Amino acid sequence: MSHEHSYTIEEVAQLLKVSKLTIYDLVKKGDLPVFRVGRQMRVDRTDLQSYIQKSKTGTTPTASTTSSTPSTNNKKIIISGQDLALDLLGKYIEKKQSNKVLRSHEGSFNGVMALYNGESDIASLHLYDGDTGDYNTPYLKKIFVSHSYILLNLISRRAGFYVKKGNPLQIQSIDDFKTKSLKLMNREKGSGARTFLDEQLRIHHISPSSIEGYNEEEMSHIDVASAVANGNANIGIGIEKISKLIDVDFIPLVRERYDVVLLKTPENQLLLETVKEILNSPDFQSEVVALGDYDVSQMGQVIYETL
C-alpha cells in the first residue's frame, strides 16, 4: 500500500463534497476503513471506491471484502483536539479496551459540536469566557442544554504570545496592540487560542479590524509559531510547549484549563469509566508530565457533571 494510492480525510471530504466531520462519522461507524501514517489517518483508494460502489448499489465488491471486515468488528472511538496528551490518552484507551482510537484534530468548538452531533466520542476544549474568567463550563452549559455530560480535567498549561527571538518589540501584554504596530498570525475561528484572543480583545476594547493580520489564520500552534519565527508575523497566539520546539520566545498571559468532555449515555458508560481510570492513573500522569510544560495537579477531577 503506497501513499500515492491513498487519501487524507480532508482529500476524501473534498472528493465526496462533504464535511470532514461526515467522513469522521463514516470512519467511526466502520463504513470507511482507514490506516494511520504517524498521527495522520488515510483512506486507501480501493476502500474509498468500495464505499462509493456500495453506496450506489448496496453491495460491496468482492476484492474489498477482506480489507473492510476488520473495521466493522469493533466500534472506533474518535477523540478531537490537537494536544499530544490526547495521543497518549488514545494509546491507553486502546490498551484497556478492544476499540481502535482515531484522532480528529479539530479545534475546541468544532470538536464540541462534533460530540454534540454524535460524530465523536471525546472532545477536548480550552474555551475561555471573558465574563467569568472560567474555562469551558460556560460554553458547555449553553451548548449541551438537553444533554447529560461530564467535564474532566486533563491538564493545565500556559498560553500566551509567540514573539521573535529576543522580543525586539518588547511585547508584554494584550495592550501592546493599542500602542505598537504589530502584525498578527491568528488561529482559526473556533479554536481555543482564537477564543482566548478574541475575548481578551473584547475585554480590553480593542477592535480586531485595527490589527494587521487578524484575518490571517493557521490551523495549529506549530504553524503560528513558525510564521513568527519566519518573519511572516511578529506576534502569534499559542501555548508555551510549542515555543520550546520552534525558535521563538514566549510571553505568558494565562494558565488555561484543558479539559475533556464526554456524553453520559448507557452506550458510553464503559468508555467514561475507562477514561476516569486512566486520568487518575499515576502511570498516565507520569507520562504526561514527561512530555513537558504540563500541570497535572487537577487531572481526572470532575470539573462539572450533570445529573
Side-chain angles (χ1 to χ4, degrees):
M1 186 182 296
S2 65
H3 295 183
E4 288 77 8
H5 299 294
S6 65
Y7 306 99
T8 65
I9 295 297
E10 185 174 357
E11 288 169 340
V12 173
Q14 291 172 349
L15 287 169
L16 298 183
K17 294 181 170 37
V18 297
S19 72
K20 287 192 295 183
L21 291 179
T22 298
I23 304 303
Y24 283 123
D25 190 43
L26 293 175
V27 171
K28 174 183 173 183
K29 293 176 179 176
D31 294 336
L32 189 61
V34 298
F35 65 98
R36 294 179 69 175
V37 179
R39 297 175 60 189
Q40 185 184 72
M41 285 188 289
R42 297 190 72 88
V43 178
D44 186 64
R45 183 173 63 183
T46 58
D47 287 330
L48 178 59
Q49 290 172 341
S50 175
Y51 168 76
I52 294 173
Q53 184 67 21
K54 183 178 180 181
S55 298
K56 286 181 179 179
T57 66
T59 60
T60 305
T62 304
S64 297
T65 301
T66 301
S67 63
S68 298
T69 300
S71 67
T72 59
N73 288 339
N74 297 306
K75 176 181 178 293
K76 293 179 174 65
I77 295 170
I78 297 179
I79 303 176
S80 69
Q82 297 184 5
D83 199 277
L84 292 174
L86 298 170
D87 294 327
L88 196 59
L89 176 61
K91 184 180 75 172
Y92 269 70
I93 291 174
E94 288 183 338
K95 287 180 180 179
K96 290 184 174 294
Q97 298 186 191
S98 59
N99 307 85
K100 180 69 175 176
V101 175
L102 303 175
R103 294 279 286 103
S104 163
H105 293 89
E106 296 285 355
S108 292
F109 185 78
N110 287 341
V112 168
M113 294 311 299
L115 182 67
Y116 180 90
N117 291 320
E119 296 168 339
S120 74
D121 302 281
I122 302 172
S124 65
L125 63 162
H126 55 118
L127 294 170
Y128 176 78
D129 178 62
D131 293 326
T132 63
D134 193 12
Y135 271 88
N136 304 326
T137 310
Y139 293 89
L140 295 180
K141 285 181 177 179
K142 294 177 181 178
I143 295 172
F144 290 132
V145 174
S146 301
H147 290 67
S148 184
Y149 63 93
I150 186 169
L151 183 68
L152 301 167
N153 179 248
L154 180 62
I155 54 173
S156 295
R157 60 189 190 182
R158 294 203 300 181
F161 288 138
Y162 301 130
V163 298
K164 292 181 180 180
K165 208 68 178 175
N167 194 9
L169 297 179
Q170 295 298 299
I171 297 168
Q172 299 297 328
S173 71
I174 196 78
D175 285 324
D176 285 317
F177 281 114
K178 296 178 180 178
T179 59
K180 301 179 188 293
S181 179
L182 303 177
K183 183 177 181 182
L184 172 71
M185 181 57 68
N186 212 343
R187 281 292 304 279
E188 79 279 9
K189 299 177 184 68
S191 67
R194 174 67 170 266
T195 302
F196 173 73
L197 177 63
D198 285 346
E199 285 291 86
Q200 288 296 313
L201 293 176
R202 177 178 67 84
I203 293 168
H204 289 81
H205 307 291
I206 301 171
S207 171
S209 62
S210 68
I211 301 174
E212 182 183 1
Y214 176 83
N215 293 316
E216 295 184 29
E217 301 177 355
E218 291 287 1
M219 300 296 289
S220 72
H221 297 300
I222 288 179
D223 290 334
V224 171
S226 296
V228 174
N230 295 334
N232 295 324
N234 44 44
I235 187 171
I237 189 76
I239 62 171
E240 180 179 21
K241 182 174 182 59
I242 301 304
S243 67
K244 308 292 180 64
L245 307 176
I246 307 295
D247 192 29
V248 293
D249 282 349
F250 179 74
I251 310 299
L253 297 177
V254 66
R255 180 166 292 279
E256 64 178 15
R257 202 183 70 228
Y258 193 83
D259 300 328
V260 292
V261 58
L262 297 87
L263 296 182
K264 292 172 60 179
T265 64
E267 300 79 13
N268 255 12
Q269 188 60 38
L270 176 59
L271 177 60
L272 178 54
E273 294 304 319
T274 298
V275 171
K276 283 182 176 180
E277 182 181 345
I278 291 169
L279 295 184
N280 286 287
S281 160
D283 289 342
F284 179 75
Q285 293 183 7
S286 295
E287 286 201 52
V288 172
V289 169
L291 294 173
D293 299 303
Y294 291 139
D295 178 354
V296 300
S297 60
Q298 288 185 289
M299 181 182 284
Q301 289 188 19
V302 177
I303 303 300
Y304 185 82
E305 182 177 10
T306 58
L307 298 177

